[in-house]
């Protein structure tokens, strides 16, 4: 009887402590009374480093804005980032460390299809939300995972915009040059399906290695095939390599790329010495240098205030992602939990962030469907 009474007293004390000190007794992993820890694994070195560096810069920029204003419900945001050098095995190792050792609340800012493939099973098993990877591959949107939320439009919407445009202007044949990776191969399949839907013939498909330094053979092959246009499914510096050698091969078909094709536009323009001119790209955020939308005006204001020198489409995307993430955390309330965060996002419905539209529900975690087409000028600027 004595031991039963002691156990009952301890149980009541625990209940009282949980009610009196919810932040201490019932705290979620990665959440303290003063901080919310968010984890990121992305590419910060190697041929695709611009993606990770710019994406992190945009995310951190809005974190800085929020933290200067006192945080979210009194908690400051902390971003813990590790370099995976674009290697999925390192992404998996970094993700395990973020979850098991750093004890993050959620994950964000991941880059590339294969890297997300490596990370997602770990996040799902641990019940950790994965928010807004820089990935548009269709399979992540059709194979629903409650822990995964997107912000950017999918590559299927980007490719649909490109293919439908080509069909509208009467261009009925294309060649596809694709990155020899999970990202390239999966989106090649999507491109072929869309081409069939719009009665556009795919006359040639050519793989290209991520680390390729020469694309002369590909350019010469395309010059012989003479497609009506070339659709590029690739990312990072390999895009420059292809454009450089294609432009000198004698081939003259117009070039189209996904939003991830070029990140450092001004740098690419200088290195390509004018050969970037005329490249048409899909864009999944508004132009970062044209503040006609409030979200872009806010981004440029915060860049100026916090001295952020990086200014790119990818940085603006990171800023938007961060703003949506913070809104979800706010909606989850002071007693923040991972489940509460997921539920809050699913209850968001149709929302606008500085006029940038994002939609979530219990059955739709895809975020935005904003896609536009723009053309690069000689100096790396974009024109619609």
């Amino acid at each position: 009887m004595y031991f039963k009474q002691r156990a009952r007293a301890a149980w009541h004390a625990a209940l009282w402590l949980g009610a009196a000190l919810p932040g201490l007794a019932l705290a979620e992993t990665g959440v303290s009374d003063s901080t919310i820890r968010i984890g990121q694994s992305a590419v910060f070195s190697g041929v695709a480093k611009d993606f990770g560096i710019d994406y992190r810069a945009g995310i951190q920029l809005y974190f800085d804005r929020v933290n200067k204003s006192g945080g979210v419900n009194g908690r400051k945001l902390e971003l813990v980032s590790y370099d995976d050098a674009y290697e999925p095995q390192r992404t998996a190792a970094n993700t395990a460390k973020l979850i098991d050792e750093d004890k993050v609340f959620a994950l964000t800012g991941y880059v590339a299809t294969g890297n997300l493939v490596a990370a997602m099973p770990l996040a799902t098993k641990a019940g950790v939300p994965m928010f807004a990877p820089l990935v548009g591959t269709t399979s992540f949107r059709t194979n629903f995972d409650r822990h995964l939320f997107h912000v950017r439009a999918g590559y299927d919407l980007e490719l649909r915009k490109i293919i439908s445009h080509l069909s509208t202007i009467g261009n009925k044949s294309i060649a596809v040059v694709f990155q020899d990776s999970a990202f390239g191969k999966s989106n090649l399949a999507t491109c072929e399906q869309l081409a069939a839907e719009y009665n556009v013939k795919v006359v040639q498909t050519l793989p290209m290695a991520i680390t390729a330094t020469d694309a002369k053979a590909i350019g010469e092959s395309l010059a012989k095939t003479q497609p009506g246009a070339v659709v590029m499914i690739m990312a990072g510096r390999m895009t420059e390599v292809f454009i450089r050698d294609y432009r000198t091969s004698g081939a003259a078909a117009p070039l189209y790329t996904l939003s991830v094709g070029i990140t450092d536009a001004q740098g690419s323009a200088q290195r390509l010495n004018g050969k970037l001119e005329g490249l048409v790209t899909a864009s999944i955020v508004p132009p970062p240098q044209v503040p006609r939308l409030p979200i872009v005006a806010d981004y440029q204001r915060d860049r100026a205030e916090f001295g952020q020198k990086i200014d790119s489409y990818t940085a603006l995307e990171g800023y938007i992602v961060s703003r949506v993430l913070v809104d979800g955390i706010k909606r989850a309330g002071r007693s923040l939990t991972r489940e509460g965060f997921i539920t809050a996002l699913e209850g968001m419905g149709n929302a606008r962030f500085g006029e940038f539209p994002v939609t979530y529900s219990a059955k739709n975690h895809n975020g935005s469907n904003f896609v536009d087409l723009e053309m690069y000028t000689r100096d790396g600027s974009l024109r619609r």
Side-chain angles (χ1 to χ4, degrees), residues 155-176:
Y155 295 138
D156 59 328
L157 295 181
E158 294 187 37
L159 287 166
R160 182 177 292 279
K161 189 79 171 183
I162 291 169
I163 300 299
S164 64
H165 166 75
L166 290 170
S167 177
T168 298
I169 64 176
N171 195 326
K172 294 297 184 179
S173 72
I174 62 170
V176 183

Side-chain angles (χ1 to χ4, degrees), residues 56-384:
R56 177 176 59 184
I59 293 169
Q60 186 63 58
L61 179 60
Y62 191 67
F63 277 13
D64 290 343
R65 162 60 61 197
V66 172
N67 288 342
K68 184 177 181 180
S69 303
V72 185
N73 295 320
R75 297 184 176 107
K76 299 292 182 69
L77 298 162
E78 178 187 352
L79 183 63
V80 182
S81 301
Y82 295 123
D83 181 19
D84 58 34
Y86 219 44
E87 298 173 6
Q89 289 183 335
R90 286 181 63 175
T91 306
N94 289 347
T95 302
K97 183 178 182 181
L98 287 164
I99 293 172
D100 298 333
E101 298 179 26
D102 296 306
K103 305 293 184 182
V104 298
F105 169 73
L107 300 165
T108 195
Y110 278 53
V111 175
T113 298
N115 304 74
L116 186 59
V117 168
M120 217 40 239
L122 300 173
T124 301
K125 182 178 180 180
V128 179
M130 173 69 78
F131 190 79
L134 203 159
V135 174
T137 300
T138 304
S139 59
F140 284 113
R141 291 144 197 279
T142 55
N143 299 326
F144 183 80
D145 186 324
R146 190 163 183 263
H147 296 90
L148 175 60
F149 287 82
H150 304 278
V151 172
R152 65 162 31 229
Y155 295 138
D156 59 328
L157 295 181
E158 294 187 37
L159 287 166
R160 182 177 292 279
K161 189 79 171 183
I162 291 169
I163 300 299
S164 64
H165 166 75
L166 290 170
S167 177
T168 298
I169 64 176
N171 195 326
K172 294 297 184 179
S173 72
I174 62 170
V176 183
V177 182
F178 64 97
Q179 183 171 304
D180 194 6
S181 66
F183 154 69
K185 293 171 184 176
S186 61
N187 288 295
L188 169 64
T190 300
C191 184
E192 290 175 323
Q193 292 168 4
L194 288 167
E197 180 180 335
Y198 284 93
N199 196 30
V200 173
K201 186 176 181 181
V202 179
V203 295
Q204 192 174 18
T205 60
L206 297 164
M208 183 171 167
I210 296 172
T211 56
T213 58
D214 186 297
K216 292 184 179 66
I218 295 176
E220 291 169 0
S221 180
L222 290 168
K224 293 177 182 177
T225 305
Q226 296 186 338
V230 177
V231 177
M232 304 153 58
I233 302 175
M234 58 180 72
R237 292 295 176 87
M238 65 180 296
T239 307
E240 289 183 26
V241 172
F242 171 73
I243 294 172
R244 180 197 68 201
D245 292 347
Y246 176 82
R247 297 291 197 200
T248 58
S249 69
L255 298 176
Y256 290 76
T257 182
L258 296 177
S259 60
V260 293
I262 298 288
T263 51
D264 178 19
Q266 278 66 45
S268 294
Q270 291 177 2
R271 289 185 290 269
L272 288 169
N273 193 26
K275 293 183 176 68
L276 187 65
E277 186 174 17
L279 172 67
V280 178
T281 182
S283 299
I284 49 81
V285 295
Q289 289 81 30
V290 183
R292 60 176 175 265
L293 285 182
I295 189 69
V296 180
D298 291 347
Y299 160 76
Q300 292 295 358
R301 176 205 64 203
D302 288 346
R303 282 190 64 247
E305 180 171 339
F306 293 97
Q308 177 56 260
K309 295 182 179 179
I310 294 174
D311 185 19
S312 67
Y313 278 73
T314 305
L316 174 58
E317 182 181 350
Y319 182 86
I320 293 171
V321 159
S322 188
R323 191 154 163 178
V324 181
L325 171 67
V326 168
D327 188 77
I329 293 173
K330 285 180 179 177
R331 289 169 183 259
R334 175 68 186 172
S335 299
L336 179 62
T337 65
R338 289 166 173 166
E339 179 61 28
F341 172 64
I342 292 171
T343 300
L345 287 172
E346 290 184 334
M348 187 177 290
N350 298 318
R352 286 185 173 271
F353 297 85
E355 293 305 311
F356 185 84
V358 175
T359 300
Y360 294 127
S361 71
K363 295 182 179 180
N364 173 25
H365 290 189
N366 289 342
S368 172
N369 60 7
F370 176 93
V371 181
D372 206 348
L373 293 181
E374 299 180 280
M375 180 180 289
Y376 283 103
T377 63
R378 186 180 181 85
D379 66 359
S381 300
L382 281 165
R383 297 287 183 269
R384 285 189 174 154

